[in-house]
Amino acid sequence: MPTDSDAFARALAVLKEYFGYKTFRPAQEPVVRSVLSGRDTVAIMPTGAGKSICFQVPALLLPGVTLVISPLISLMKDQVDALRDAGVPATFINSTLSSGEWSNRMHAIAAGDVKLVYVAPERLDSDAFRGLWERVPVAMVAVDEAHCLSQWGHDFRPSYQNIAPFIASLPRRPLVSAFTATATPEVRDDIVRLLNLQEPAIHVTGFDRPNLYFEVRRGEDKRKFIKNYIKRHKDEAGIIYAATRKQVDTLYNVLTKAHIAVGRYHAGLSDAERAKAQDDFLYDNLQVIVATNAFGMGIDKSNVRYVLHANMPKNLESYYQEAGRAGRDGEPGECILLYAPGDVRTQRFLIDVSTEDEARKRIETAKLQRMVDYCHTPECLRSFILHYFGSQTEDATCDNCSNCNAGATDVDVTIDAQKVFSCVYRMRERYGITLVAQVLKGSSDQRVKDLHLDTLSTYGLFQNKTLQDIKLMIQRFVATDYLALDSGEYPILRLRPAAYDVLRGKATVIQHILPEKKEAAPASPNQTMFEHLRALRKSLAQKNRIAPFMIFSDKTLRDMAALLPRTEEEFLEVSGVGQKKLEKYGVAFLKCIAEHR
């Protein structure tokens, strides 16, 4: 009987042959070992960490078929196209198939010609689909985007609750694995319970994406910023997220009038319009797409270089998942959020209309406040995100976010903090940010006078500051846990324990003066070769009717441009080049390198 080490050695051989990598990433290896040992497995891995490899490689080694439950049709098609291009026998079953295509694929599965079958959870209720597995052994059920199981997750899908009954109906219980990028401990527990996992191995990978640069900008002319940013990055793929369909349409029209080739994607468009926009983006016919959060889950486009948020999302789970679509190839990516106070009102409205469950509303409102805190914290943005997901960081700074750029200056703001905290205390912790700011400003607003707040000793302490600057200061104290906002319809400021120590003179408050954004790094000396290789990739992709990144990622092309291989043996040394890719594309790329060396 083969040992665990034998099985893992075979997994490494499969990894190199089909996917072109010599080793698994550190986060992938324990998950793959767990699955190969026959143990139910849950893997919480950030976007871009390579979750798919963790079930695709074992699927090629396990006897029988692996079923991959996937929430979006576009995700299935992309992954199956990429697998087929790598030589992996894979297919998908969903509602887009004609009766003839359905029949052909079912026959191929029954004949043993397929190792991976991607399927939408809605298909699990089909009698014809269920009947197939009475004859064909299922080795593993891999549940992708498993957070969709939990109604307390940020993307609950009722159809995901079909999975456990389907598994129970199989003649023999298969191995079950579950994968997601964002899951709090509560959602993680739901995944284990709702899938009836048996003594599962649970792997939680560090959520850090060190190749991503994070930035929050406040007070920007959003349209102007986005237009200028796209023009500065005209040869790079990027996603721009907006909160509503109307905002997507408005931004799309603004960019189109600026002669920028851009696509749009939201649920108000027809299926054909959405499919065309998505395909144009995936196939590099368009470099930019502006979309609501309806776009992107599972979009396996590895060469997205930036993600801009024109509006603040509703929670950090959504933000990190959406921002994480940049730099999936490990190359640098930029994630910039353009914040405005109106974003909070928009998200509160969307929460209010999304559910009538008051408990759910309270949870969503609390998550929204943490998102607002992220937009105002003077501390490291990366650390803020990691702490939110329960990951501890040793360093207080990362040198790769707008709050940690070299040259940041620490400033003692204790006196200002005492003035703010004293004002909140004297107002008896009964009012929100706007009214507290008005009192500190010395506003002549009628409500301030009607409540006799103009008689307080803190009235007018910041008369030389703008009202917006005072609000920003208060938001920073909320973000750094000196103040808290309750989750009611009209959030009220409360003092946190740390604020009392400051008021009593027992603690100081230090904040950063945020520096200007770093200048972009100069172009690589191999950039010209990279552009030749990218042009060849697109030509081959059009010929084969697949997305360019399915041939090679940007990271692989950059490695190729740096190594400049001359022979097939040297070509196999390029990261992301395996035997199958060599056989399929080696001659064309080696010729291109030789011509432009």
Side-chain angles (χ1 to χ4, degrees):
M1 182 174 179
T3 65
D4 288 347
S5 59
D6 291 335
F8 190 70
R10 290 165 57 211
L12 287 172
V14 166
L15 180 70
K16 179 58 181 172
E17 179 179 0
Y18 291 96
F19 302 97
Y21 302 109
K22 294 180 180 179
T23 59
F24 290 100
R25 298 177 188 176
Q28 292 173 329
E29 181 172 333
V31 179
V32 172
R33 287 185 181 275
S34 174
V35 174
L36 290 176
S37 72
R39 189 175 179 187
D40 284 355
T41 300
V42 177
I44 316 296
M45 304 169 71
T47 302
K51 296 185 295 294
S52 299
I53 289 285
C54 294
F55 58 79
Q56 289 170 347
V57 168
L60 291 171
L61 297 172
L62 295 172
V65 175
T66 289
L67 288 178
V68 182
I69 314 297
S70 177
L72 291 179
I73 289 172
S74 59
L75 168 63
M76 292 182 215
K77 184 178 184 303
D78 291 345
Q79 292 212 354
V80 168
D81 283 350
L83 287 169
R84 285 175 172 168
D85 191 60
V88 176
T91 192
F92 63 83
I93 301 292
N94 60 38
S95 58
T96 67
L97 301 179
S98 66
S99 58
E101 288 173 324
W102 165 280
S103 178
N104 289 338
R105 295 188 185 199
M106 296 290 272
H107 283 305
I109 295 167
D113 296 334
V114 177
K115 290 295 289 180
L116 283 114
V117 178
Y118 282 71
V119 61
E122 292 81 5
R123 298 296 100 195
L124 301 181
D125 274 345
S126 162
D127 290 337
F129 186 78
R130 283 176 177 264
L132 174 66
W133 308 110
E134 294 176 4
R135 309 186 304 277
V136 178
V138 178
M140 177 170 63
V141 172
V143 182
D144 203 6
E145 309 291 354
H147 63 271
C148 295
L149 279 158
S150 174
Q151 60 181 317
W152 299 111
H154 68 285
D155 200 18
F156 171 59
R157 304 289 178 98
S159 59
Y160 260 58
Q161 297 189 351
N162 298 336
I163 299 173
F166 171 79
I167 293 172
S169 73
L170 296 172
R172 178 177 172 275
R173 186 186 184 278
L175 176 66
V176 182
S177 56
F179 301 84
T180 183
T182 51
T184 60
E186 295 80 8
V187 172
R188 196 183 312 156
D189 292 343
D190 264 1
I191 291 171
V192 173
R193 178 176 58 84
L194 294 169
L195 287 178
N196 297 319
L197 300 184
Q198 299 177 4
E199 299 182 354
I202 299 178
H203 300 273
V204 181
T205 301
F207 285 91
D208 193 11
R209 296 281 304 282
N211 62 312
L212 298 185
Y213 168 84
F214 290 96
E215 180 172 357
V216 174
R217 285 179 173 257
R218 296 178 295 270
E220 289 279 352
D221 180 331
K222 295 185 179 186
R223 297 177 186 179
K224 182 179 179 181
F225 177 87
I226 290 170
K227 282 192 294 184
N228 290 340
Y229 187 95
I230 292 172
K231 288 178 180 178
R232 289 197 309 271
H233 298 79
K234 61 181 180 179
D235 294 325
E236 297 178 352
I239 304 172
I240 304 163
Y241 282 106
T244 66
R245 300 176 189 179
K246 182 178 179 180
Q247 289 164 332
V248 167
D249 289 337
T250 299
L251 191 51
Y252 170 80
N253 290 330
V254 166
L255 296 176
T256 300
K257 287 178 181 177
H259 307 292
I260 293 172
V262 60
R264 60 176 165 172
Y265 190 106
H266 60 65
L269 301 174
S270 68
D271 290 346
E273 287 175 305
R274 288 199 303 274
K276 184 178 187 308
Q278 179 168 290
D279 285 348
D280 282 345
F281 183 63
L282 289 175
Y283 288 80
D284 286 351
N285 296 325
L286 289 173
Q287 293 292 82
V288 184
I289 191 162
V290 57
T292 62
N293 61 5
F295 176 80
M297 188 166 74
I299 296 300
D300 194 20
K301 183 176 173 68
S302 65
N303 65 333
V304 174
R305 296 272 64 87
Y306 62 87
V307 173
L308 307 182
H309 277 81
N311 307 103
M312 181 191 69
K314 65 180 179 179
N315 53 50
L316 273 165
E317 288 95 335
S318 297
Y319 177 68
Y320 202 45
Q321 187 176 60
E322 290 162 11
R325 288 169 190 139
R328 290 174 66 110
D329 54 7
E331 294 290 291
E334 289 198 337
C335 310
I336 301 176
L337 194 163
L338 305 177
Y339 171 85
D343 296 341
V344 183
R345 293 190 292 272
T346 298
Q347 292 299 345
R348 284 186 181 278
F349 171 77
L350 294 175
I351 289 171
D352 194 53
V353 300
S354 67
T355 179
E356 295 182 357
D357 187 315
E358 291 302 321
R360 177 84 187 223
K361 282 184 181 179
R362 284 194 296 272
I363 290 172
E364 292 300 322
T365 301
K367 288 183 175 183
L368 174 61
Q369 182 55 49
R370 292 303 285 159
M371 188 71 244
V372 175
D373 292 347
Y374 171 82
C375 293
H376 289 89
T377 182
E379 309 301 329
C380 173
L381 296 176
R382 188 181 312 278
S383 294
F384 191 101
I385 292 171
L386 297 180
H387 289 160
Y388 179 82
F389 288 110
S391 295
Q392 298 303 313
T393 55
E394 295 181 3
D395 298 326
T397 61
C398 70
D399 293 327
N400 199 28
C401 77
S402 57
N403 289 7
C404 291
N405 275 346
T409 304
D410 287 340
V411 177
D412 188 329
V413 295
T414 304
I415 300 300
D416 283 351
Q418 289 174 330
K419 291 176 180 179
V420 172
F421 304 161
S422 178
C423 191
V424 173
Y425 178 79
R426 292 177 188 281
M427 292 174 71
R428 300 182 181 181
E429 301 176 274
R430 292 171 56 187
Y431 303 102
I433 289 176
T434 298
L435 201 56
V436 172
Q438 287 176 331
V439 171
L440 287 164
K441 172 66 177 171
S443 170
S444 58
D445 185 86
Q446 190 60 45
R447 187 163 182 244
V448 173
K449 295 179 178 180
D450 290 344
L451 293 169
H452 305 292
L453 298 175
D454 54 343
T455 64
L456 296 178
S457 61
T458 52
Y459 180 78
L461 287 179
F462 290 142
Q463 58 183 326
N464 294 326
K465 293 182 182 289
T466 67
L467 194 63
Q468 187 58 39
D469 285 343
I470 298 169
K471 288 182 179 180
L472 176 58
M473 185 193 310
I474 295 171
Q475 289 277 16
R476 286 179 176 171
F477 291 136
V478 174
T480 48
D481 206 32
Y482 289 99
L483 297 173
L485 280 166
D486 65 20
S487 58
E489 183 178 356
Y490 302 103
I492 294 170
L493 279 170
R494 313 277 190 191
L495 294 170
R496 297 284 293 149
Y500 288 102
D501 287 339
V502 176
L503 284 171
R504 296 183 186 115
K506 295 181 178 180
T508 58
V509 182
I510 307 297
Q511 289 188 346
H512 299 298
I513 294 177
L514 304 183
E516 294 298 318
K517 184 180 176 298
K518 291 185 212 176
E519 292 297 321
S524 163
N526 293 310
Q527 185 66 25
T528 302
M529 179 63 78
F530 172 76
E531 295 299 339
H532 287 305
L533 295 173
R534 189 163 72 160
L536 172 60
R537 180 181 66 178
K538 183 167 185 180
S539 173
L540 291 171
Q542 290 173 334
K543 180 180 178 181
N544 290 280
R545 297 183 179 180
I546 58 175
F549 68 87
M550 292 178 183
I551 295 177
F552 291 125
S553 69
D554 276 12
K555 184 175 183 179
T556 296
L557 293 190
R558 292 192 189 283
D559 197 35
M560 214 179 285
L563 295 177
L564 300 177
R566 297 172 183 270
T567 66
E568 291 187 354
E569 290 75 17
E570 291 178 357
F571 196 68
L572 280 170
E573 293 301 311
V574 174
S575 176
V577 176
Q579 187 63 39
K580 299 293 183 181
K581 295 282 189 177
L582 169 64
E583 294 170 1
K584 205 162 191 177
Y585 304 115
V587 171
F589 278 91
L590 285 170
K591 181 180 178 183
C592 178
I593 292 167
E595 288 176 352
H596 300 287
R597 185 183 297 276

